[in-house]
Amino acid sequence: MKFKSAFLVLLFFSFFVAIAQNNSKKTSYLNARLYEKKFELIHTKLDVSFDIPKELLFGKEWLTLRPYFYETDKLTLDAKGMTIKKIELDGRVVNYNYIDQKIYLDLEKVYKKEDTLNLYIEYIADPSKVKQTASKAITSAKGLYFINPKGLDIDKPTQIWTQGETESSSCWFPTIDSPNQKTTQEISITVPSKFVTLSNGLLKSQKDHDNGERTDYWVMNKKHAPYLFFMGIGEFSVVKDEWRGIEVSYYVEKEYESLARDIFGKTPKMMDFFSEITGVDYVWDKYSQIVVRDFVSGAMENTTAVVHADMAYQTKGDLVDGNTWEPVIAHELFHHWFGDLVTTENWSNISLNESFANYSEYLWLEHEYGYDRAEEHRIKSIEAYKNGGNQLKKLVRFDYENKEDVFDLVSYNKGGAVLHMLKNYIGEQAFYKGLQLYLKENMYSSAEVSQLRLVFEEVSGKDLNWFFDQWYYGSGHPEIRISHDYNLLEKSVTVTLKQLGKEFYFPVVIDIYESGKKKRIELFVDQQEKSITFSYEEYPDWIHVDANHVLLAEFIENKTLSNYKFIFSNADYFDDRKKALLELSKHQDDKKIFNMVVSAFDDVNYQVQVLALEKIDLSGKYAKSKVIFKIEQIAKTANNNHVKAAAIKVLGKLVYFDYQKFFEKSFNDESNKVKGAALEALYYLDKESAISKAKELPDNVKKTIAYPLSKIYIKEKDKSELEFVSKYIIQGLYMSNNEETKSLFKLGFEWVSRSNNIQAFKNITEDMVAKGKQYKKYNFDKEAVRLMRGMVKEQDKLENSNKKELIIVVNEALVQLMKI
């Protein structure tokens, strides 16, 4: 909506803000009250079996609980999508009403906090009857999932699994489905004997039955929240490891049994590391991880039974290029301290779970691979937050409209960056001592962010109200314009940091590079515009604000080409060199700059090397044969496969037929990254050979190198591969940072949109729906709607024989998107 009158805008805005503030206060009040404790769970015992084809769970539950403080004769349980058969209290039938996915019980007498209630409930759980909204991080919220239940899909195994967060465990057993409840558990699971089961805690016994079924009995003796209950059922291979005598196991499909340790094998080492830095050893009885089909998110930290989406599966050719799932493995494990051991009191404080898990990815990568690798990961995380349109959201939010909305890039990515700043401010030793105190004071219980502040203050002696007020209870981050005012007569310079938006307080480090020396100044910014003046002997080569790269902020600063040359040659931090290289690469008509780009081939950081190879201009007058020879050597001998692949792509664009045998040899490389680059390079020389080799690849490799394959098929307009290409167009169009790739996949999208291929339409629309759910936090659901409407318009212009069916496919997908 646009307004022509500034006065009307002001009136509208004032009116809107007044209403919003009033509603916000009301919403905050109501959201906070939702998690007041009236009862306290003690123990949950379940006995479940299934009608798998009908997607039903038959359950018996023995629930032990007590009033939390006040006397009461009423009890309310969450129970979504169920048929309640019987409820007994201490052996007698009780009256109840089952309305709006809740069971309201009349206890017929007043119970005090010293009293214990023992409930018995028989029920049927039917996930198709569940009606609740999913989150931006989770695509569905029906709690209990039957995958290929009738066995009709020959390419997909039959599985059953659960997903409890936020409040979906009550879709498969009645409970008080709140994060501040804690209960021990036991569960008997009866399934066909061919299936393996996984649940929380330890497998105590297995009993075979004459009808071809088996009952597995799992026990969890340590308290945890109901949303962390889990069942996983299917045909899995179980690969066993251990940590200090505790079972560590990986549940994978048979095809990936030999790769399970390659994917998950660093788990015991992570358990050592996280136990060390928190000062609290891993407390649980085991640690299992399972990979399931069609999972509704990336992974979930169910206590001792973590579930991963099948994106975790990787081939040898993928893993040799780096285990892309390793940060997720670390993330879910760290939740067993932050989230499972100490749980957020309510969803408003979800930062206590997710910000720590996000930051654990950084901590692990730094420990295992070094500072640069961790920083690469953190930079991507912060960029995702900044690009996600989250500037008005607070880290602690009581004013949400839907509890699922807090699972976003603020709670995860921004929260991780805030913890990084906090660690830097109070010091590493105080930070980890604070974590230890927080965990020990609140273990097997729940907490709020204020409790986190108090332990850090107790340990460090610092007042942290200002930090938590702006970073946890406030929104956004600083936007800072940096200016330099030189006084040449007095040989002094004044550096001014002017905040363009709301005012933040923060410490910042400034490095001054002068005559080959570096001097560091620490400054605390406590006003909208802050200046500092210092003298110099020689004109500074570089004044580097936020030199330790800790502050979460946007910096606006003018730099000259001379500045970029100095930064590239002298910066210790790889991303400073990378940004300088990006600017310098635009000026390769200058011989010195061209040589600087070439010198970046030898940078110690592989990302800088790759950028240099991607940006090198071999068409200029300085592109001598020795530079090309250097690229040849990199393509043949580089230790990093990302660098080797980038070099091969450069050689491919030269269209030298002398390279054909080398490209063919590289196509057989173990690395899928190198294999894909070699295929692209070979395509420039021998299209028929490249296409022939592509079609011979096994499906799992084709999936891995889908980018280069799809690019070839799009260029060739190979209709026989349209269905394959359609699966990866959205990924290429929106997930790539390469403009040439984006442009090519845009042509691919237009190709599919104008085609007559129903399956290709199904593939691309299903992918858009899936990514619309997965990336709703980036508003991709709205972008997908726009794309689909464009597809309908394209078909309206054509006379395709399948036009009607194609438009139906799109419209069905649009309906799904509108429900997100």
Side-chain angles (χ1 to χ4, degrees):
M1 184 181 294
K2 293 183 179 179
F3 294 87
K4 294 182 179 179
S5 165
F7 178 68
L8 285 176
V9 172
L10 183 61
L11 279 178
F12 175 80
F13 181 74
S14 302
F15 176 70
F16 175 78
V17 167
I19 293 175
Q21 287 176 341
N22 185 54
N23 288 341
S24 177
K25 289 177 183 177
K26 183 178 179 181
T27 304
S28 299
Y29 171 70
L30 293 175
N31 286 338
R33 288 199 64 195
L34 287 174
Y35 300 97
E36 293 178 347
K37 285 186 179 179
K38 297 178 181 177
F39 278 84
E40 181 177 36
L41 296 175
I42 300 172
H43 185 68
T44 304
K45 179 181 177 181
L46 299 169
D47 187 333
V48 302
S49 59
F50 307 91
D51 185 328
I52 297 175
K54 291 183 179 178
E55 302 184 40
L56 298 174
L57 176 150
F58 302 98
K60 298 176 183 178
E61 178 178 30
W62 294 262
L63 186 62
T64 307
L65 67 168
R66 59 174 166 245
Y68 187 73
F69 185 82
Y70 297 105
E71 298 178 355
T72 184
D73 61 354
K74 299 288 190 296
L75 169 64
T76 302
L77 296 176
D78 299 297
K80 305 177 180 79
M82 294 184 185
T83 300
I84 307 300
K85 294 293 189 180
K86 179 196 293 187
I87 301 181
E88 294 179 355
L89 173 59
D90 295 322
R92 59 183 173 82
V93 176
V94 292
N95 295 320
Y96 67 90
N97 287 308
Y98 182 42
I99 305 169
D100 293 333
Q101 306 188 100
K102 290 183 182 291
I103 302 171
Y104 299 92
L105 291 99
D106 182 355
L107 304 178
E108 298 180 1
K109 74 170 190 176
V110 174
Y111 284 81
K112 300 178 180 179
K113 66 177 182 177
E114 297 82 12
D115 297 326
T116 300
L117 287 74
N118 296 289
L119 285 172
Y120 171 72
I121 305 172
E122 288 184 17
Y123 63 96
I124 300 172
D126 182 352
S128 69
K129 293 181 179 179
V130 174
K131 297 177 181 179
Q132 64 175 349
T133 305
S135 74
K136 294 181 178 182
I138 295 175
T139 61
S140 173
K142 61 183 183 179
L144 175 64
Y145 298 82
F146 292 82
I147 307 304
N148 194 22
K150 295 182 174 65
L152 300 177
D153 188 341
I154 60 173
D155 296 321
K156 188 177 292 185
T158 297
Q159 295 177 349
I160 305 170
W161 47 261
T162 61
Q163 165 57 31
E165 194 173 41
T166 51
E167 297 170 15
S168 295
S169 284
S170 52
C171 299
W172 63 279
F173 64 94
T175 189
I176 301 174
D177 210 346
S178 175
N180 60 3
Q181 290 287 340
K182 297 272 182 166
T183 172
T184 51
Q185 75 177 79
E186 53 187 310
I187 179 170
S188 297
I189 307 171
T190 301
V191 294
S193 296
K194 67 178 181 178
F195 288 143
V196 172
T197 72
L198 175 65
S199 189
N200 315 91
L202 296 175
L203 179 60
K204 291 293 188 178
S205 67
Q206 293 183 299
K207 183 179 180 179
D208 291 316
H209 305 294
D210 294 337
N211 64 352
E213 293 185 328
R214 186 190 72 253
T215 298
D216 291 353
Y217 175 53
W218 294 86
V219 177
M220 178 79 166
N221 285 323
K222 295 178 179 177
K223 297 191 299 181
H224 66 149
Y227 78 87
L228 296 166
F229 279 42
F230 177 74
M231 289 188 301
I233 299 162
E235 295 181 79
F236 296 100
S237 294
V238 183
V239 178
K240 293 195 175 181
D241 216 329
E242 71 166 8
W243 177 78
R244 300 184 189 177
I246 293 173
E247 179 188 318
V248 175
S249 50
Y250 320 122
Y251 288 62
V252 297
E253 292 174 32
K254 183 70 177 177
E255 178 186 352
Y256 290 92
E257 183 176 356
S258 64
L259 292 168
R261 277 195 173 86
D262 294 324
I263 298 169
F264 297 107
K266 292 201 174 182
T267 300
K269 193 173 181 181
M270 292 178 183
M271 296 169 80
D272 267 331
F273 174 62
F274 290 149
S275 295
E276 178 187 347
I277 64 171
T278 61
V280 176
D281 284 348
Y282 179 83
V283 302
W284 309 99
D285 294 331
K286 76 164 192 309
Y287 191 71
S288 297
Q289 297 175 83
I290 187 171
V291 183
V292 302
R293 296 292 189 99
D294 297 350
F295 192 55
V296 292
S297 185
M300 177 64 202
E301 65 270 17
N302 312 298
T303 317
T304 77
V306 168
V307 59
H308 294 273
D310 58 10
M311 292 179 285
Y313 286 140
Q314 297 162 82
T315 67
K316 276 283 188 185
D318 298 324
L319 291 165
V320 75
D321 297 329
N323 185 351
T324 59
W325 207 250
E326 196 168 316
V328 180
I329 296 168
H331 180 116
E332 304 308 327
L333 174 59
F334 206 58
H335 268 308
H336 281 68
W337 284 264
F338 295 89
D340 296 6
L341 183 59
V342 181
T343 309
T344 178
E345 172 72 18
N346 48 53
W347 303 118
S348 298
N349 287 270
I350 193 61
S351 171
L352 292 174
N353 293 16
E354 296 303 345
S355 298
F356 276 104
N358 175 276
Y359 193 41
S360 75
E361 300 170 24
Y362 178 92
L363 297 174
W364 167 252
L365 291 172
E366 183 182 33
H367 170 77
E368 185 68 4
Y369 302 105
Y371 177 70
D372 274 14
R373 177 67 185 88
E375 283 294 296
E376 290 163 12
H377 187 75
R378 189 175 69 93
I379 289 166
K380 288 180 182 176
S381 178
I382 290 173
E383 286 176 351
Y385 152 71
K386 287 181 178 179
N387 295 330
N390 299 288
Q391 306 312 309
L392 298 178
K393 296 180 181 178
K394 300 172 184 177
L395 202 50
V396 177
R397 268 168 280 168
F398 289 98
D399 56 349
Y400 56 77
E401 292 184 11
N402 186 311
K403 62 184 179 299
E404 310 295 344
D405 294 341
V406 301
F407 291 84
D408 58 16
L409 293 163
V410 174
S411 298
Y412 288 71
N413 302 33
K414 181 184 178 181
V418 168
L419 289 171
H420 189 64
M421 289 190 292
L422 180 61
K423 178 160 72 78
N424 180 74
Y425 179 66
I426 66 174
E428 189 170 288
Q429 189 175 357
F431 181 77
Y432 288 132
K433 193 68 178 175
L435 297 190
Q436 182 181 28
L437 183 60
Y438 169 80
L439 291 169
K440 288 186 174 180
E441 285 189 351
N442 300 290
M443 60 172 52
Y444 304 112
S445 186
S446 55
E448 297 184 10
V449 164
S450 57
Q451 291 166 265
L452 185 69
R453 175 181 61 81
L454 289 171
V455 297
F456 281 127
E457 289 184 337
E458 181 179 340
V459 167
S460 69
K462 293 179 179 290
D463 178 81
L464 296 172
N465 277 291
W466 66 271
F467 185 94
F468 278 76
D469 282 350
Q470 68 183 15
W471 291 115
Y472 279 89
Y473 301 105
S475 61
H477 55 267
E479 184 179 356
I480 305 163
R481 184 180 296 282
I482 302 168
S483 60
H484 311 137
D485 184 16
Y486 287 91
N487 187 321
L488 299 179
L489 292 175
E490 295 184 1
K491 284 195 169 183
S492 67
V493 58
T494 299
V495 179
T496 300
L497 279 63
K498 182 178 181 181
Q499 298 187 58
L500 303 181
K502 63 188 291 189
E503 182 179 319
F504 284 80
Y505 299 156
F506 52 87
V508 67
V509 169
I510 303 173
D511 283 351
I512 300 99
Y513 291 77
E514 179 188 346
S515 301
K517 295 180 181 180
K518 180 174 70 175
K519 178 173 69 174
R520 174 158 289 191
I521 296 172
E522 295 184 1
L523 178 69
F524 193 90
V525 176
D526 54 4
Q527 56 197 59
Q528 196 81 27
E529 187 170 321
K530 184 86 170 184
S531 298
I532 183 170
T533 301
F534 55 88
S535 59
Y536 59 84
E537 292 297 323
E538 298 290 335
Y539 194 91
D541 297 296
W542 182 26
I543 299 173
H544 189 191
V545 177
D546 190 37
N548 58 354
H549 304 91
V550 168
L551 184 62
L552 175 60
E554 297 279 2
F555 293 99
I556 302 168
E557 182 179 16
N558 294 323
K559 293 188 179 78
T560 66
L561 195 59
S562 179
N563 292 145
Y564 286 120
K565 288 178 183 179
F566 182 86
I567 293 167
F568 173 75
S569 299
N570 295 276
D572 294 324
Y573 190 62
F574 80 93
D575 200 51
D576 289 331
R577 299 195 303 277
K578 189 176 170 184
K579 288 175 180 174
L581 176 62
L582 191 61
E583 290 299 318
L584 292 172
S585 66
K586 301 171 185 177
H587 304 277
Q588 294 183 60
D589 52 340
D590 182 310
K591 185 177 182 179
K592 288 183 179 179
I593 292 179
F594 176 80
N595 288 332
M596 292 178 83
V597 176
V598 173
S599 72
F601 295 167
D602 299 317
D603 196 276
V604 294
N605 182 275
Y606 85 92
Q607 285 198 356
V608 178
Q609 292 176 285
V610 169
L611 180 63
L613 288 162
E614 289 175 345
K615 296 298 181 181
I616 190 70
D617 182 3
L618 296 178
S619 64
K621 58 184 177 181
Y622 304 118
K624 303 296 184 183
S625 58
K626 65 179 181 180
V627 176
I628 296 173
F629 177 75
K630 188 177 182 68
I631 297 171
E632 290 175 9
Q633 295 308 301
I634 294 170
K636 292 174 182 177
T637 63
N639 292 323
N640 186 291
N641 289 326
H642 296 265
V643 176
K644 185 181 286 187
I648 290 171
K649 287 182 181 181
V650 175
L651 296 179
K653 292 177 181 178
L654 295 176
V655 197
Y656 287 0
F657 285 90
D658 290 347
Y659 293 143
Q660 184 161 346
K661 287 185 178 179
F662 169 64
F663 294 156
E664 289 172 346
K665 180 182 178 182
S666 298
F667 180 75
N668 295 318
D669 195 279
E670 184 182 20
S671 160
N672 284 336
K673 183 71 68 174
V674 172
K675 193 186 298 290
L679 187 66
E680 273 193 77
L682 185 60
Y683 175 77
Y684 290 111
L685 301 179
D686 189 341
K687 292 182 180 182
E688 290 184 5
S689 175
I691 293 169
S692 175
K693 287 181 179 294
K695 291 182 183 292
E696 293 171 4
L697 288 169
D699 288 343
N700 60 351
V701 176
K702 282 184 178 179
K703 184 177 179 180
T704 300
I705 62 169
Y707 264 23
L709 279 180
S710 296
K711 286 162 78 173
I712 288 172
Y713 295 147
I714 291 169
K715 288 176 181 177
E716 290 296 304
K717 289 288 191 342
D718 187 342
K719 290 184 179 180
S720 67
E721 298 292 347
L722 185 62
E723 292 176 13
F724 173 86
V725 171
S726 62
K727 297 176 183 178
Y728 303 102
I729 281 176
I730 300 303
Q731 187 174 346
L733 194 54
Y734 289 95
M735 311 298 168
S736 172
N737 293 322
N738 186 288
E739 291 303 321
E740 182 183 347
T741 299
K742 287 182 179 179
S743 297
L744 188 58
F745 277 91
K746 183 179 179 182
L747 293 174
F749 179 79
E750 293 169 358
W751 178 33
V752 173
S753 298
R754 293 167 185 160
S755 77
N756 202 26
N757 191 312
I758 294 174
Q759 188 58 52
F761 260 61
K762 287 182 178 179
N763 290 343
I764 197 169
T765 54
E766 286 173 3
D767 191 37
M768 279 192 271
V769 171
K771 285 184 169 59
K773 294 175 180 178
Q774 185 178 359
Y775 299 108
K776 184 175 181 180
K777 62 184 79 172
Y778 299 104
N779 295 316
F780 185 75
D781 53 327
K782 296 180 177 63
E783 177 65 6
V785 168
R786 185 188 70 79
L787 292 172
M788 288 188 195
R789 286 173 174 163
M791 293 176 73
V792 172
K793 288 180 181 178
E794 284 296 327
Q795 284 296 317
D796 281 338
K797 299 174 186 176
L798 304 171
E799 294 298 328
N800 283 335
S801 57
N802 293 329
K803 180 192 288 190
K804 184 177 179 181
E805 290 84 352
L806 294 169
I807 291 177
I808 289 172
V809 167
V810 177
N811 285 336
E812 288 175 348
L814 279 168
V815 170
Q816 293 182 59
L817 277 171
M818 295 299 188
K819 291 179 180 178
I820 295 176

